[in-house]
Amino acid sequence: MATVIDGKAFAQQLRNDLKEKVAALKSEHRLTPGLAVVLVGEDPASQVYVRNKARQTVEVGMESFEHRLGADTDEKTLLDLIERLNNDDAVHGILVQLPLPAHIDEPKVINAVSHDKDVDGFHLINVGRLNTDGGGVVPCTPLGSLMMLKSQLGDLSGLHAVVLGRSNIVGKPMAALLLQANCTVTVAHSRTRNLDALCRTADILVAAVGRARMVPGDWIKPGATVIDVGINRIEEDGKMRLVGDVDYPSAEAVAGAITPVPGGVGPMTIACLLHNTVQQARRIAGIGED
Ligand code: NDP
């Protein structure tokens, strides 16, 4: 039976540490890190995410600024708001909740956020830095996944990591981080051949495809560490369930360690958002990273 990597407990620990760091920044530097979250439209899942982010921001002692705009907000109004937040000294992190309504140019908005305040790590400068000098802001979901992997395995050097999925927000930055950690990395996607055989060669398997239970236990090398990023809402036995991209019962019997869904990568993503905001507050204030 695999060790369960408890993302919820991990995230709690990270938030506890952040609470202490925020208290120290306040008392020693009179600095309160602030996170602004911008939501355009009424997407129910996005509303839940934004509420959770705001609650956890306040719980660690940071300032939370919420900006809710109607679904018919035009691009210029959104860009003007971002410009104001870029120039607001109380704001150290800006998160624009995605997806944006179809009439708004998403890349344009992402790159309008100052790269210093881009706590999602999606700005082209941060993407470029992740793939070159390894500096800049790292996207939250891959960062949380890497933290759990390092805690579970220690040094990742030489391990073969297979990343299933090549999105800009998960697959690609995850692959970049694993490469930086000296893994041998294979990125797989919808055109990859012999996916099952490829996955069986992985010491580390990161699944980020968005397909419920796509990876069964017999795709997993015995003892491998499995990070299940997927969040899929399915209806089963008349109930709505949240399941990952990995078939948990069969995978748990083969893997060495595995993240559950829910309670794995998800909680770490928000905790890493707070972590990134604290880091950026320090950088902007010239205090340096801790
Ligand atoms: P995307 O839809 O942007 O990307 C999915 C990737 O999976 C694509 O690269 C696609 O390949 C690949 N893919 C799709 N079907 C297959 C297949 N049958 N075989 C192999 N590869 C396939 O998704 P995201 O990266 O945004 O998200 C992935 C999952 O992670 C989702 O379930 C999402 O909800 C979840 N997620 C969870 C987060 C968390 O906090 N835990 C945060 C962000 C996402 P191709 O490029 O060829 O189309």
Side-chain angles (χ1 to χ4, degrees), residues 73-80 103-106 108-109:
T73 300
D74 61 54
E75 191 175 283
K76 179 162 186 324
T77 306
L78 178 57
L79 291 172
D80 287 347
H103 66 277
I104 295 178
D105 182 342
E106 210 164 88
K108 190 172 174 183
V109 169

Side-chain angles (χ1 to χ4, degrees), residues 162-165 170 174 204-211 214-215 226-231 244-246 265:
V162 172
V163 180
L164 278 180
V170 189
M174 187 75 241
I204 294 171
L205 181 63
V206 180
V209 279
R211 297 193 180 268
M214 191 185 97
V215 179
V226 178
I227 302 290
D228 189 355
V229 179
I231 300 178
D245 291 340
V246 176
V265 175

Side-chain angles (χ1 to χ4, degrees), residues 38 47-48 52-53 58 64 70 77 83 87 115-116 128 136 177 187 203 209 217 229 247 263 271-272 276-277 282:
V38 181
Q47 292 201 354
V48 174
N52 285 342
K53 284 167 186 169
V58 172
S64 167
T77 306
E83 189 55 23
N87 292 314
H115 65 89
D116 277 331
L177 281 178
V187 182
D203 302 305
V209 279
V229 179
D247 177 51
C272 285
N276 279 350
T277 306
R282 294 180 71 96

Side-chain angles (χ1 to χ4, degrees), residues 22-43:
V22 169
L25 281 176
K26 282 182 184 175
S27 63
E28 291 164 25
H29 300 279
R30 305 172 106 204
L31 172 65
T32 303
L35 173 64
V37 178
V38 181
L39 173 63
V40 185
E42 280 94 35
D43 176 60

Side-chain angles (χ1 to χ4, degrees), residues 141 164-171 188-191 195 207-211 214 228-232 245 265-266 269:
T141 301
L164 278 180
R166 57 174 166 180
S167 72
N168 290 335
I169 63 168
V170 189
H189 46 78
S190 65
R191 311 290 172 90
L195 202 52
V209 279
R211 297 193 180 268
M214 191 185 97
D228 189 355
V229 179
I231 300 178
N232 307 288
D245 291 340
V265 175
T269 296

Side-chain angles (χ1 to χ4, degrees), residues 230-247:
I231 300 178
N232 307 288
R233 286 174 182 80
I234 60 164
E235 200 179 331
E236 202 170 58
D237 306 329
K239 284 186 197 153
M240 288 309 288
R241 282 185 206 280
L242 214 58
V243 299
D245 291 340
V246 176
D247 177 51

